[in-house]
Structure formats: structure tokens, C-alpha cells
Amino acid sequence: MHALAHPSASPALIDRYGRQIRYLRVSVTDRCDLRCSYCLPKGHTSFEEPAHWLSFVELERLIGAFARLGVARVRLTGGEPLLRRDLPQLAGRLKALGLADLSLSTNATQLARHAEALKAAGVDRINVSLDTLDRGCFEHITGRDAYAQTMDGLMAAKAAGLAPIKLNMVAMRGVNEHEIARMAEFCFEHGFILRLIETMPMGDTGRNAQYLDLGPVRDTLVAQFGLLPEALELGGGPARYWRTVDGAGRIGFITPISQHFCASCNRVRLAVDGTLYLCLGQEAKFEFRPLLRGGATDAELEAAIRHAIDLKPERHEFTEQPTKIMRFMSQTGG
Ligand code: SAM
């Protein structure tokens, strides 16, 4: 990788390694109603105080500044984003900034109530996290008997016409690995795109998760379903896709550990307190809340964003330094 100084006259956000940042993930809350074993510890209640949370006005202003610098894709996440009051209203305000792509990651427990409002607000597509099709296994992983509620949410999103729906399954050895093929069939049947994700060592929960290398899993699925590599880029993210022969079914593999994709990383993550994390697996960060609350002008915000992007590390070190990151995924904005 060669280090590039970005030309300051260009509106684009280009980091020191020549990567253009086009994608912002925005955590709108660090709260969650589930306690997934690889994410939040059971009994965890020490959430940020709402006074520290960026308001909708602050989020709109900051995301507007990113948008002027070429970030056209925003994903709302958390914590569980649908626990943030009036989230569809925020979605509508952000879509009005002219974003090309506004998406949402959710556990779907609240989705049945919000699917239509999200669609009406201009949310282009959603990702639903679902690790199992078994009610008991769902409760084992998430700490809550909310499988039926989640399924209702998922089907409500489909009925509301939110498409495509990507279904994110964190694959874990001895926990849900035996369900992967069944999950693929379920997704093919419903027109969902399955994405399998390797666990990352974030916080003690992520470190203690039953990591499963997706390389051999992919080989098995390719043989079982006769999958072909997908030539098209779907969504501009890190997933590498395979498709069924008729093109109707797709499976994406997100392999941050076995085959990392840092060289093409195009994203940064804004936490609910206004901290911008430049990498999931590093401490590099920049605090925007003091600027937003201290009367910074739009030009100052844009300059601060450029400065922050210059702090983006080349790559994570999950393998070399697995105990480095203490924060849970829900704090960063997964
Ligand atoms: N609550 C929303 C949801 O369930 O999609 C958004 C936030 S959640 C933290 C985002 C994604 O991060 C989920 O798909 C979750 O499974 C994943 N995740 C959380 N901790 C992880 C870890 N240690 N390794 C890999 N993925 C993780």
C-alpha cells in the first residue's frame, strides 16, 4: 500500500492509504433488547446516558457534512436502532439530504410495528440479524424468547416491500453451524440474501464466541447448492457473494478473520455519543460532539471530518492482537 496525501481541493474523502470513504454507519443507540452471546454480556445495563446522545438535529447536520464530502451511503444501526424513539422520522430527514442509499440493520424484534413507516421514510433496504431458525437456539444465543416476534418483523418487512432483505447470520462452531444449509434454503425460499459472518474478538463476548472459519463452510455450500461466484458487487461492502445457477439465490461470506478485506475498506462508524470510529479493530477515533455543541461552522465540521479520515488505520489486528478491543460491537455500531 502506498501512502497518498489527499488533494485538499477534491471534495472526496480519501484516507492515507488511497481508500475513498463512501460509507458511514451511524449508531443511533447503544441499547439493545437482546443479549447475543458474542455481542453483549448477560445483565449488561451500563448504557450511555441520553444526554450524551447526538440529537436528530445534530445527526442530520453531521451526516449532511459527510454527504457533502461524497459519503452517499448511510446505514442506521446500534445497539438496536428501532429502540430509538421516532427512528422512521430520522430516516426521512436523512433521506432528504440526498443520500443515494439509506439502509438499516435490525434484530427485527420491533420491525413489525415500523416496517411500513421505514419504507415510507425512504429506507432503501434492510439487514436483519438472525442466527437460527430454532426457537430454543434463538433464546440460547440472544437471552430472550423472541423468535416469533423476530419472524413477524422479518415477514412484515417483506410485506412492506423493503427489498432486498439481507439476513445476517453470525456462524458459530457447535452453536448454529448445523443450521447453515437450512438457513440458506429458508432464504432462497423467501427471496432473502443470506450473509454468513465470522465472529470478531470485540469485547470479552466476541473473544469468547465459538469462532468458525467460513472457508470450509463456503466449500460445502458451493458443492451442496452448485453455487457460482457472483460477478456483480452487491452493496459495495465486504461480503463476497456466490449465487445459485438460476441466479435466484445468493449467499455472501463476510470473513474479517480468515480473509480480511481492509485494503478495500470504504467505511467509518459514528457512535451515538458522536465518536467516529475509524476501524472496528483499532482504537483510532475522533470526537464530534464537542464540535457540534461548541458552535463549529459547517466548514469547520468538514475540516474535522477530513482530519478524522486521516486517522484511519491501515487494517485491523484481530488475529495478531485479539485482546485489543474492549468495546462491544453494539457500542461501535455494528
Ligand atoms: N441490533 C442490530 C442488529 O441486530 O442487526 C444492529 C446492531 S448489531 C451489533 C450488528 C451486527 O453485528 C449483527 O449482525 C450482529 O450479529 C453483529 N455482531 C455483534 N457482535 C459481533 C461479533 N463479535 N462478531 C461478529 N459480528 C458481531
Side-chain angles (χ1 to χ4, degrees):
M1 260 300 147
H2 51 286
L4 284 185
H6 58 69
S8 56
S10 155
L13 284 176
I14 299 179
D15 78 358
R16 289 174 299 153
Y17 303 97
R19 298 169 295 196
Q20 182 172 355
I21 307 306
R22 302 170 189 273
Y23 186 28
L24 178 67
R25 296 176 79 106
V26 179
S27 174
V28 293
T29 175
D30 65 340
R31 297 178 181 201
C32 192
D33 52 341
L34 301 184
R35 291 289 175 275
C36 295
S37 52
Y38 48 79
C39 191
L40 276 177
K42 301 239 176 314
H44 178 82
T45 52
S46 65
F47 293 111
E48 282 278 314
E49 283 304 308
H52 295 142
W53 288 8
L54 297 192
S55 66
F56 284 5
V57 170
E58 290 167 333
L59 284 168
E60 195 178 3
R61 183 153 179 250
L62 183 55
I63 296 167
F66 273 96
R68 288 193 296 279
L69 297 174
V71 173
R73 303 180 50 212
V74 169
R75 172 172 296 278
L76 300 174
T77 180
E80 173 45 45
L82 293 177
L83 296 185
R84 179 89 186 235
R85 200 180 310 137
D86 297 329
L87 189 83
Q89 195 200 99
L90 176 68
R93 288 166 72 159
L94 296 182
K95 191 66 185 174
L97 294 172
L99 298 175
D101 180 39
L102 180 64
S103 58
L104 173 83
S105 285
T106 175
N107 62 25
T109 61
Q110 316 291 314
L111 194 52
R113 279 195 290 138
H114 296 296
E116 291 200 352
L118 290 167
K119 172 80 180 161
V123 170
D124 294 292
R125 54 207 182 84
I126 61 167
N127 289 1
V128 170
S129 299
L130 183 66
D131 298 335
T132 174
L133 293 169
D134 178 88
R135 180 178 163 188
C137 186
F138 185 98
E139 184 168 3
H140 171 71
I141 294 172
T142 67
R144 260 194 74 194
D145 181 13
Y147 177 73
Q149 210 177 314
T150 299
M151 273 295 163
D152 286 351
L154 178 60
M155 295 308 162
K158 183 179 171 186
L162 284 159
I165 295 176
K166 291 181 182 161
L167 209 143
N168 285 343
M169 176 182 192
V170 175
M172 288 167 282
R173 179 170 301 286
V175 177
N176 61 355
E177 64 176 306
H178 61 286
E179 282 197 71
I180 292 175
R182 190 169 150 223
M183 188 68 94
E185 282 164 355
F186 170 79
C187 288
F188 295 162
E189 190 184 315
H190 286 279
F192 304 143
I193 298 173
L194 175 62
R195 294 167 5 129
L196 297 169
I197 304 176
E198 288 178 349
T199 54
M200 287 174 272
M202 300 190 63
D204 288 339
T205 45
R207 264 186 287 288
N208 294 333
Q210 291 81 349
Y211 171 75
L212 179 66
D213 180 341
L214 286 179
V217 172
R218 185 194 53 222
D219 295 345
T220 306
L221 291 173
V222 165
Q224 183 172 353
F225 295 106
L227 302 177
L228 303 168
E230 175 65 86
L232 292 177
E233 251 213 12
L234 293 177
R240 294 179 176 94
Y241 287 95
W242 291 70
R243 63 175 174 82
T244 52
V245 175
D246 63 4
R250 288 200 180 83
I251 305 182
F253 297 85
I254 303 183
T255 55
I257 307 300
S258 66
Q259 225 190 337
H260 78 74
F261 34 77
C262 301
S264 58
C265 182
N266 59 0
R267 62 199 54 205
V268 290
R269 292 175 162 82
L270 182 67
V272 68
D273 64 356
T275 306
L276 189 76
Y277 289 99
L278 283 313
C279 172
L280 264 186
Q282 298 281 5
E283 299 292 358
K285 60 185 176 182
F286 186 88
E287 308 282 351
F288 279 97
R289 196 175 71 238
L291 286 176
L292 287 165
R293 297 195 179 166
T297 63
D298 284 352
E300 283 164 349
L301 274 186
E302 288 173 26
I305 291 172
R306 285 191 186 285
H307 168 72
I309 297 302
D310 273 347
L311 304 176
K312 187 169 169 63
E314 185 171 12
R315 51 169 298 220
H316 71 64
E317 293 169 310
F318 284 137
T319 310
E320 299 88 331
Q321 298 198 60
T323 54
K324 185 167 185 173
I325 298 301
M326 300 307 291
R327 56 180 198 270
F328 308 117
M329 182 71 103
S330 65
Q331 290 165 309
T332 313

